[in-house]
Each structure stands twice: as C-alpha cells, then as structure tokens.
C-alpha cells in the first residue's frame, strides 16, 4: 500500500487565505500572515539549502518560544531535512550527548544561548530579535529562489524529539510527518479547532505539548497562534482577557493553571471567550480542575506522550465535569488497551499498563533499535503508565508504571539523576524518588548512603547537581541513610522508600 504524500499546510493557506493572521509573536510584536509566513519559509529553505542542508540532514534549534520554530519546521519539510528542537533548560553536557547522538549539520540558536551554542557546535546561525540585520534575518534577506520541495510521504521523518531516558541517557523519539498530521486530525475535532481558532501558546515549543497541543493543529486548520516567549501567569491572564487578541483556545500542563489561579488577576479575568482549555502532561490535581470549573472554564483533560505525537486520549468538553479526573477516551484514529503482565486485557475497574496503537505512534527511537524493540509488543506501544478503564470506557491514569516522576510538566527519570549523584566521591549508594510538591506537582528527593568516614551535606549534593543537570531534575531535598532497601536481585525497592519518606505507597494522584 503506497504511503500518503506529505503536503505543506502553510503553502496551502497562503494560497487560500493569504491575509489571515498565522502567527503573533508577543515578545517581538511581529505578526505574520500566511502569505508572510510562506515567504519567510521559502527564504529560509533557500538559505538552508545554500548551507548544504539536504534530505535527511538534521537542523537543531536552541531557542525560547518564537515564530522561528515554525519557519524551521516547515523549511525542513520542504527540504526533506529533520528538525531537532533542543530543550534550553538542559546543561551543555546534556545537550552534547543529544547532538552527538543526532549529529545535526547546523545549530540555529537564539542569541540568549550564544555561549552554550558556541560550546556545542562550529556551524551556527544566530537569531537576534534586537537586530534586523542579525545572522538569521540577513540570511533570509539574501536568500535566492527556493529549490523545489522534496517529495515526501507520511512515513518520512520530520523531527526527532529527545525524551529523558530510563538508563541515564535521553532517547530520540522519531516523529514522522504522518504522526504530526494524524495528531492534527485526532485533536482538531474534539478541541473544536477551526480557521477561526486563536490559541495562546505558552508551553515550551521544544516540547511536543507546546508544538502540537494545539499549535500545529491550529496552523493545519488555518487559524492563529499567539506565542508567549516564556510563561508568565499575569501576562497569560491579560492575554486571555484581551478582546483584541480574541483567544479561543489554551493548553497547558497543570502548573501554569495553578499559578494563574493563584494570581491576583484570576478573580477578575475575562475568560468568556475561551472555548477550550486543555490540560495534560501530568496528573492534574482535583483542586485545579474544580477552581477553573467554578470560573466557568472546565479543563478538558487528555493524555499523551512524545511518542504518541502526543495526543492519545481526550475528554470531550461535554464530559469534563461528569468525568472529572478522567483523561477521556481514545481519539478517533487511535486504539488503547489496559493490560496485565501477561498482555491480557484488564476488566473494567482493574489497573494495568496502558498500551496504544495507531498512525500517530512513533516508529521507534533514533539510533536505538534496542529501545524500539523493548517498547512494542505486536505493534502496541508500551506507555509505561498504569491506568484503569471505567464501565463506560473512560481512562484514568493512576500512576507511573515505572519510576519516572513529573516535575512542573517535565519528565524526570531517576536513573539519570542517580548517575550524577554517583559522581560524588562520598556517595556509596543513592536513589531518587518523586515526592509531592504543592508548586511543581512532584520534586525529586535524593536518598543517599555515605561512604564510611566521608562528609557530605545536603547543600553539597544539590550544588553538585545544579552544575550537571537541568534545574527541574535537581533534587530539592536529601536524606542520608545507612542502607537502601533492595530485593533478592539487588534492585532498590523504591516503593519502600516512598512509604518511609512520603508515608504512602506512591505520590498522590488526583
């Protein structure tokens, strides 16, 4: 069966609705119609081709939220190149691993990350929004005619997104053009996305949540995205209240919703224009759901992951209050199962691992066939999340199947942090668990066994981690013990640690 051809949405809308506003970048004040955006993408396509970027080459981006994310995404699409969005919260050593694994031919960076970029790559292109004659804009201005678009299909790779790894190294999830397309279809219908949609984008665009919930689906429909450089609760509430912006859609992980509802402006914010307020990326506390619902904005929950592009399930707006706490049902072109250890379907109400299948699922991990093989059973992706289905088929995410925890919407895998802890000469043994945090949902707690007659204080541990890990991965507290509990095979029993230090079997999930 032949694969479906890839089509360029921006080119289509530039011909159909050229004057329609596509992107409004709040930080720079720049506004691009679909015709403007199409022209800039064409110029960037030419500039990248002149730098030797061709089909299959990777183009990395290290930048805060900006319109350039979408220019680079679609320029890569026209060349058959692969976009590599980088998490700017990571340290240089962490980024070095990703660049070494993905091997990009070019690193485009915001001037705010010039020092990091210089340490990472010799082939750079700098974005400087304060200078109209900066490297990036000069390259676009000098660009010649763009080459003809490379014919692609839904099976071709459009992006590689690195996720935290359970073995201490991140894995590059392969994102095909088909995955992005099917996410647009899957989300577009229940999220009520149309050409009239105006979304306020606040999540980091290096994340699948920022890029695809719902920014890409909105552009696919010919709507408008309004981009915040970094999230600020007061500014976000001002934007939602501003009739001139006309925001109809919003999506975030639970933490921004929490910060906004705790802001003095929340009580008087005009939220009447919001048609959809989506939440995902981490379990959402019941207090957040109830507070926003009381303001007339039921939060529509969903579940997904980078490997599912990301939407896997979603709660329809009509069920948002009736099924408060549920992540909804499988989206239109997606199937889910909840299974036991023997891959048997679990009856309604029982807890098992959530599996997912469909055209929106990654074909695997970049340069990592072993991880790819481990992640699939008969075409079903193992999500690593524990879930249950109720009698009506609504899914509830109960807990993380593995030891990963989520801090402020960011996945943190203990093995990666533990590897850093073991670099300390005084550490004999160490484990990381997630513990509840009112601000971030969960934060890390390091439990350490010191070597005999060695001195090590909590501050020493945290400072050591701050220089080697992104801040959201750094443990917020440290406990020192004589020994870690282990089973007969030597595996650390983290459940016992959670009972000891949290007083329960696992961090609470509302």
């Amino acid at each position: 069966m032949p694969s479906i051809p890839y089509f360029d949405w921006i080119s289509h809308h530039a011909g159909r609705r050229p004057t329609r506003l596509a992107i409004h970048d709040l930080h720079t004040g720049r506004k691009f119609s679909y015709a403007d955006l199409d022209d800039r993408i064409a110029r960037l396509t030419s500039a990248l081709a002149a730098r030797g970027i061709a089909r299959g080459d990777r183009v990395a981006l290290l930048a805060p939220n900006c319109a350039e994310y979408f220019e680079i995404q679609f320029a890569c699409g026209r060349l058959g190149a692969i976009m590599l969005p980088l998490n700017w919260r990571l340290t240089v050593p962490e980024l070095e691993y990703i660049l070494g694994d993905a091997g990009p031919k070019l690193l485009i960076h915001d001037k705010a990350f010039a020092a990091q970029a210089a340490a990472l790559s010799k082939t750079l292109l700098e974005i400087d929004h304060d200078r109209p004659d900066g490297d990036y804009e000069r390259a676009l201005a000098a660009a010649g005619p763009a080459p003809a678009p490379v014919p692609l299909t839904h099976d071709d790779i459009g992006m590689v997104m690195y996720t935290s790894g359970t073995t201490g190294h991140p894995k590059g999830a392969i994102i095909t053009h088909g995955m992005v397309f099917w996410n647009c279809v899957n989300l577009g219908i229940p999220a009520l996305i149309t050409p009239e949609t105006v979304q306020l984008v606040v999540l980091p665009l290096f994340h699948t949540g920022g890029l695809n919930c719902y920014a890409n689906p909105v552009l696919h429909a010919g709507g408008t995205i309004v981009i915040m450089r970094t999230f600020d609760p007061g500014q976000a509430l001002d934007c939602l209240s501003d009739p001139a912006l006309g925001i109809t859609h919003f999506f975030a992980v639970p933490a921004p919703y929490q910060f906004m509802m705790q802001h003095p402006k929340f009580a008087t914010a005009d939220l009447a224009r919001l048609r959809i307020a989506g939440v995902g990326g981490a379990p959402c506390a019941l207090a957040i759901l109830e507070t926003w619902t009381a303001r007339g904005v039921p939060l529509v929950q969903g579940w997904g992951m980078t490997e599912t592009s990301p939407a896997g399930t979603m709660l329809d707006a009509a069920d948002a209050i009736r099924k408060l706490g549920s992540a909804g049902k499988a989206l239109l072109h997606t199937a889910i199962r909840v299974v036991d250890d023997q891959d048997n379907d679990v009856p309604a109400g029982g807890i098992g691992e959530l599996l997912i299948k469909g055209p929106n699922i990654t074909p695997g991990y970049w340069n990592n066939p072993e991880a790819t093989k481990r992640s699939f059973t008969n075409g079903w992706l193992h999500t690593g999340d524990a879930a249950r289905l109720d009698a009506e088929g609504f899914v509830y995410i109960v807990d993380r199947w593995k030891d990963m925890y989520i801090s402020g919407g960011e996945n943190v895998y203990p093995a990666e942090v533990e590897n850093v802890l073991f670099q300390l000469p005084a550490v004999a043994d160490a484990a990381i668990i997630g513990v509840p945090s009112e601000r971030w949902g969960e934060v890390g707690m390091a439990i350490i066994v010191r070597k005999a007659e060695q001195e090590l204080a909590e501050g020493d541990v945290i400072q050591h981690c701050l220089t080697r890990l992104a801040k959201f991965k750094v443990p917020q507290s440290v406990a020192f013990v004589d020994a870690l509990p282990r089973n007969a095979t030597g595996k650390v029993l983290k459940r016992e640690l959670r009972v000891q230090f949290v007083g329960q079997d696992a961090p609470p999930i509302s």
Side-chain angles (χ1 to χ4, degrees), residues 100-303:
D101 189 56
K105 202 168 186 177
L106 174 68
L107 171 58
I108 302 174
H109 69 94
D110 186 274
K111 71 170 184 177
F113 302 110
Q116 294 94 318
L120 290 166
S121 176
K122 294 181 180 178
T123 309
L124 304 172
L125 183 63
E126 183 173 270
I127 299 169
D128 186 348
H129 292 132
D130 295 327
R131 292 178 53 204
D133 62 341
D135 291 351
Y136 186 92
E137 293 299 327
R138 191 167 62 249
L140 266 61
V150 174
L152 300 174
T153 74
H154 278 196
D155 293 335
D156 285 304
I157 302 172
M159 199 174 302
V160 177
M161 285 188 163
Y162 277 77
T163 64
S164 295
T166 56
T167 59
H169 288 303
K171 297 180 294 185
I174 294 171
I175 311 297
T176 65
H177 289 290
M179 289 172 62
V180 179
F181 167 79
W182 288 110
N183 182 73
C184 292
V185 176
N186 276 340
L187 271 185
I189 297 170
L192 310 178
I193 293 171
T194 75
E196 305 308 312
T197 294
V198 181
Q199 187 205 352
L200 179 63
V201 178
V202 300
L203 293 184
L205 289 170
F206 60 72
H207 262 187
T208 185
L211 206 57
N212 295 309
C213 293
Y214 312 104
N216 266 323
V218 171
L219 293 177
H220 178 259
T224 301
I225 57 173
V226 180
I227 302 173
M228 287 183 65
R229 184 175 175 92
T230 55
F231 173 73
D232 175 86
Q235 184 187 4
L237 288 167
D238 287 342
C239 290
L240 296 178
S241 300
D242 188 347
L245 290 177
I247 304 297
T248 63
H249 284 62
F250 186 77
F251 185 90
V253 298
Y257 283 108
Q258 180 180 347
F259 299 153
M260 284 192 288
M261 76 187 204
Q262 293 171 346
H263 196 278
K265 293 181 179 180
F266 181 71
T268 57
D270 180 3
L271 307 174
R273 282 171 294 275
L274 269 182
R275 297 192 69 196
I276 289 289
V279 62
C284 190
L286 189 60
I288 298 175
L289 298 172
E290 291 175 338
T291 300
W292 280 83
T293 299
R295 281 295 333 266
V297 185
L299 301 189
V300 179
Q301 289 205 87
W303 169 91

Side-chain angles (χ1 to χ4, degrees), residues 453-498:
E453 301 180 1
Q454 291 280 336
E455 295 292 329
L456 186 65
E458 180 180 67
D460 300 328
V461 174
I462 294 174
Q463 184 58 42
H464 170 79
C465 292
L466 281 170
T467 62
R468 292 161 174 82
L469 292 168
K471 194 170 182 180
F472 66 85
K473 299 178 185 178
V474 175
Q476 299 296 296
S477 60
V478 181
F480 295 96
V481 297
D482 293 330
L484 295 179
R486 295 180 181 273
N487 64 13
T489 63
K491 183 178 179 181
V492 175
L493 298 173
K494 293 191 175 179
R495 177 175 296 180
E496 291 189 13
L497 292 176
R498 284 193 285 266

